[in-house]
DNA sequence: AGAATCCTTTGACTAAAGTCAAAGAACTAT
DNA sequence: ATAGTTCTTTGACTTTAGTCAAAGGATTCT
């Protein structure tokens, strides 16, 4: 039974919260949104307003998961109300671009104002201390819910998702290192596949948002490289999960020690490695961008 | 502008959480519910299952806010599926009672099982520590959201709501005091109205869930009596809010000192009074059920 | 150049959700 | 006893939300 590992009391608490919250807050939110307008149209209008330069119908369809015909009609309805403008895509004449008119934007802003007033009214009766506590609890909940929805998977380093992560990683650290970063320093797909190593990607709602690579260094010793987390997914504890996956992978390959190096500017990373049981060691390899070297003894303790 | 007192950042955080939560969790919940059945029917079935003895259609209509005709038809649909049984109300033949059949109950249980599995799956990827943290954060959020929805109002002590509170109060302490409690000890409506005093009731979604009385004792001195909180609304910090309302009321009446007495068995109450700035004093009145006497100096400090 | 694919529009439906008003049976107040 | 009220049922609608397939123009692949 899949619930075995999760205490029933926690499941009950989650469901209780869910029920209370959707009834109290979610319902309100839905209600204000569709003031005079069907909810579907209101949602669509909001989504369009989110992209100031305009969006293609194709993108919207993907984002909202709507049927093409349904979307086409709703767009037409919004257009006839003067809230959006439709135009051809400058480069691809199959696509249609949609964007809010000033009227549409005013409408969205007004609805946002109302939603804000509603939210403020909700917080209003609480004391400042209680409000702080509520917001903190919600922020924590959201962080953990996000984390729970993220899966870490082994993928081939040659896949577009893996390449996208490595490119983003390279861009990030190129911006951070005073000396910049050259992409040629990235691992090649062959270095982290098959016997040589492994590559892991973390996904949030099908989008790759973090990665990490494991490479066999020598007999019984692995190296962890390119641990990266998307800017908008930081502070969730995701790097730890990537590390754990890589360490687990190392163990199954009979690697009982993992090493890694890091740059002087990445102080948070260093702190994280220490917190995860890594200890600083002398240089084990002469690497251009490395200032600190770490190592961790992996013991196959029951988790 | 009504949002003035609430920082915009907090409003934004609340809305962000709301958006994320309804999209991630609320949607799931709705989805499982209507497995083969329209959502409306599923919700109705669940609501009926909540009341084991059966409910009247009238009550259901109030609870779910449905149109009478709509409800009638959905009830008939559920009946034809063998999930509920309709019968006449034993005392009022206008009303119809509805209750789940064994088949209906099985169905509800099955859906509950699925919802639990879903919730468990959600918590599954988190470490036990993270799960504890999430549940704690949600519990805190829920507590504070409930508290935010509760209003404290001055009402006449002769109203049904006030009497209901006092009756519940009397029943509660009758069960707790070894010597029992006699209702004749309750304040009379005249003692807490007009010049003589005031009565406050706390409401949660239109239901009275807490109360407290203020009575003028002598020149500049008031007495607080009958501070009670419904069993299901305890540990929200509601007693404090009742106290604050009564103290505020006292101040506006020129009472600068408030006193109260309490029974030896009510230790949490004593701790609460102390935490709210009350200090123990010698008996100021000879009262049957009193073992401890407290007093608080009210200074009109800006809040 | 032609075939295959992509994207949007349109027509033709369906199911769900809900609204409104009339009617009738049952109860309550006077 | 009667007038007014309450509650449910039924008929007759409407709106929303969505699905599916055909068709046509635009692009991409080979």
């Amino acid at each position: 039974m899949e619930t075995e590992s999760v205490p029933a009391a926690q499941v009950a608490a989650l469901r209780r919260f869910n029920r209370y919250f959707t009834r109290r807050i979610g319902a309100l939110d839905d209600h204000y949104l569709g003031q005079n307008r069907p909810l579907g149209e209101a949602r669509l209008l909001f989504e369009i307003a989110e992209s100031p330069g305009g969006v293609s119908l194709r993108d919207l369809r993907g984002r909202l998961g709507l049927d093409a015909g349904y979307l086409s009609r709703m767009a037409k309805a919004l257009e006839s109300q003067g809230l959006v403008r439709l135009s051809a895509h400058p480069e691809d004449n199959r696509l249609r671009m949609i964007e809010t008119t000033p009227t549409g934007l005013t409408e969205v802003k007004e609805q946002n104002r109302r939603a804000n007033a509603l939210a403020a009214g909700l917080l209003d009766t609480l004391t400042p201390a209680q409000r702080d506590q509520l917001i903190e609890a919600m922020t924590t909940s959201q962080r953990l819910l996000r984390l729970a929805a993220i899966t870490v998977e082994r993928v081939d380093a040659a896949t577009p998702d893996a390449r996208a992560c490595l490119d983003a990683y390279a861009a990030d650290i190129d911006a951070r290192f005073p000396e910049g970063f050259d992409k040629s320093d990235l691992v090649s797909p062959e270095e982290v596949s098959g016997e040589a190593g492994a590559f892991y990607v973390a996904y949030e709602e099908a989008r790759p948002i973090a990665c990490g690579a494991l490479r066999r260094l020598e007999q019984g010793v692995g190296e962890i490289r390119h641990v990266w987390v998307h800017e908008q997914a930081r502070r969730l504890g995701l790097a730890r999960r990537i590390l754990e996956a890589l360490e687990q992978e190392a163990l199954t390959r009979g690697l009982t020690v993992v090493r890694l190096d890091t740059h002087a500017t990445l102080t948070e990373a260093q702190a994280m490695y220490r917190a995860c049981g890594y200890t600083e060691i002398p240089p084990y390899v002469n690497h251009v961008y490395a200032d600190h070297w770490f190592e961790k003894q992996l013991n196959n303790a029951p988790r």
Side-chain angles (χ1 to χ4, degrees), chain A:
Chain A
M1 186 166 177
E2 68 267 61
T3 69
E4 199 185 334
S5 62
V6 181
Q10 296 195 333
V11 169
L14 172 59
R15 289 198 60 204
R16 215 177 311 122
F17 178 78
N18 186 6
R19 220 160 14 215
Y20 183 78
F21 193 85
T22 45
R23 205 169 43 80
R24 267 280 319 281
I25 322 287
L28 285 179
D29 217 54
D30 263 12
H31 204 256
Y32 82 80
L33 255 172
Q35 208 62 357
N36 291 308
R37 208 175 304 293
L39 204 71
E41 279 181 26
R43 269 205 270 260
L44 180 57
L45 183 60
F46 266 67
E47 196 67 36
I48 297 167
E50 292 281 294
S51 322
V55 227
S56 66
L57 290 184
R58 188 242 260 131
D59 285 358
L60 273 179
R61 233 174 56 216
R63 257 192 249 171
L64 298 173
L66 297 171
D67 172 81
Y70 187 25
L71 174 60
S72 174
R73 258 181 276 256
M74 279 205 289
K76 211 161 65 175
L78 288 177
E79 193 185 25
S80 78
Q81 291 168 69
L83 300 169
V84 301
R85 196 182 6 253
L86 283 156
S87 58
H89 189 283
E91 276 148 35
D92 186 339
N93 261 312
R94 288 171 306 180
L95 273 67
R96 296 200 79 191
M97 299 300 287
I98 188 165
E99 69 182 317
T100 46
T101 59
T103 318
L105 213 58
T106 309
E107 164 105 17
V108 167
K109 277 188 189 145
E110 167 61 18
Q111 296 289 21
N112 259 320
R113 208 194 52 70
R114 280 194 221 177
N116 281 339
L118 213 110
L122 208 95
L123 297 172
D124 203 41
T125 41
L126 294 177
T127 66
Q130 288 171 331
R131 275 205 303 265
D132 291 348
Q133 215 191 339
L134 175 60
I135 298 300
E136 197 202 309
M138 284 187 158
T139 309
T140 303
S141 303
Q142 194 173 348
R143 180 173 66 81
L144 289 166
L145 284 170
R146 274 189 74 185
L147 192 57
I150 293 169
T151 55
V152 175
E153 288 166 41
R154 186 174 170 195
V155 304
D156 192 289
T159 58
D161 287 348
R163 298 323 294 176
C165 284
L166 286 176
D167 287 349
Y169 164 78
D172 269 14
I173 61 176
D174 184 56
R176 288 194 68 168
F177 290 180
E179 68 272 34
F181 177 83
D182 189 76
K183 274 195 174 187
S184 65
D185 192 60
L186 293 175
V187 292
S188 65
E190 308 82 57
E191 279 180 284
V192 289
S193 61
E195 281 295 296
F199 196 84
Y200 277 80
V201 170
Y203 288 94
E204 181 175 29
E205 293 172 28
R207 277 193 306 279
I209 49 154
C211 71
L214 175 74
R215 199 166 71 96
R216 193 177 170 287
L217 263 192
E218 58 192 66
Q219 175 69 32
V221 181
E223 185 187 28
I224 285 173
R225 297 204 65 194
H226 306 331
V227 172
W228 168 81
V229 176
H230 190 288
E231 200 183 353
Q232 283 164 24
R234 290 189 192 152
R235 316 221 45 80
L236 295 176
L238 194 45
R240 267 164 212 266
R241 269 187 59 196
I242 296 276
L243 273 187
E244 277 164 25
L246 295 171
E247 291 169 8
Q248 197 54 47
E249 178 73 36
L251 272 175
T252 65
R253 287 162 179 260
L255 308 171
T256 51
V257 175
V258 284
R259 294 182 185 149
L260 54 86
D261 62 38
T262 185
H263 193 275
T265 55
L266 304 175
T267 50
E268 337 82 88
Q270 286 162 43
M272 195 262 297
Y273 291 131
R274 274 183 234 278
C276 289
Y278 286 75
T279 50
E280 193 151 3
I281 53 166
Y284 62 89
V285 67
N286 203 356
H287 189 214
V288 218
Y289 301 108
D291 301 303
H292 296 274
W293 296 262
F294 289 89
E295 181 176 285
K296 183 179 184 178
Q297 199 73 36
L298 305 177
N299 54 338
N300 212 337
R303 47 168 269 142

